[in-house]
Amino acid sequence: LLILVLCACFSGALNAIREIVKERPIYARERGTGLSAGAYLASKVIVLGVISAVQAILLVAIGLAGKKFPSHGAALPIPLLEIAIAIALVAIVSMVIGLFTSSMVSTAERAMPLVFLLVMIQVVTTGGIFAINGTAGLEQIAWFTPSRWGFAASASTIDLNHIAPRGSTIDPIWNHTAKTW
């Protein structure tokens, strides 16, 4: 699950990280002819969102092919569909973060190293490598990262807290019995 979430973060961010910065001169020319900023942004979000979601769904299909799942997920009756939706949403939100980052840099060459930084933040805040519950500051940052939400949603689908052995480093992010985050 952790690898699926992180791959979705990478693919979403990489799909968008250079989009706005490389088209800045084109956007300026089009803006002069009446293109609204909202229409431009919506076109980027819709097209790149569909691409990111399809990539994530394919990633889940390949990555989880042949795996056994519970009879039902935490919210949907088909666990694989539930995981695919969670991973697709992670990819889409990461794509939006990539677009935002692309709008903040001056050149495409400066945008690419930021992908690594963005995804490393996602790695640290998932809760899949080491527990972050109770860690002041880091836990609060994790509330705003798509990897944390995607990992929590995927973990709840397969009831990872029940599967993970006691004393493991997996962060107890989902209380399955209470159905609360």
Side-chain angles (χ1 to χ4, degrees), residues 82-163:
E82 193 170 309
I83 292 172
I85 290 171
I87 301 299
L89 289 174
V90 168
I92 291 168
V93 173
S94 294
M95 178 270 308
V96 170
I97 293 170
L99 281 175
F100 175 74
T101 305
S102 179
S103 72
M104 301 305 283
V105 295
S106 59
T107 65
E109 292 78 29
R110 290 186 182 168
M112 290 309 289
L114 293 175
V115 171
F116 180 75
L117 176 66
L118 292 171
V119 174
M120 287 305 105
I121 291 169
Q122 303 296 322
V123 168
V124 171
T125 59
T126 58
I129 295 176
F130 58 90
I132 61 172
N133 277 350
T135 307
L138 188 58
E139 183 178 8
Q140 287 72 30
I141 292 170
W143 294 341
F144 301 103
T145 58
S147 64
R148 175 72 168 173
W149 290 91
F151 186 70
S154 300
S156 69
T157 299
I158 62 167
D159 195 13
L160 189 60
N161 287 339
H162 180 72
I163 295 171

Side-chain angles (χ1 to χ4, degrees), residues 1 4-5 7-8 53-67 69 79-88 154:
L1 293 179
L4 289 174
V5 168
C7 286
V54 167
Q55 286 176 339
I57 291 168
L58 289 173
L59 180 71
V60 169
I62 293 168
L64 297 179
K67 303 288 184 205
F69 294 99
L80 186 60
L81 177 63
E82 193 170 309
I83 292 172
I85 290 171
I87 301 299
S154 300

Side-chain angles (χ1 to χ4, degrees), residues 2-13:
L2 179 65
I3 297 299
L4 289 174
V5 168
L6 296 179
C7 286
C9 288
F10 259 120
S11 68

Side-chain angles (χ1 to χ4, degrees), residues 159-176:
D159 195 13
L160 189 60
N161 287 339
H162 180 72
I163 295 171
R166 289 230 177 255
S168 72
T169 59
I170 304 234
D171 197 2
I173 52 181
W174 169 261
N175 183 344
H176 189 68

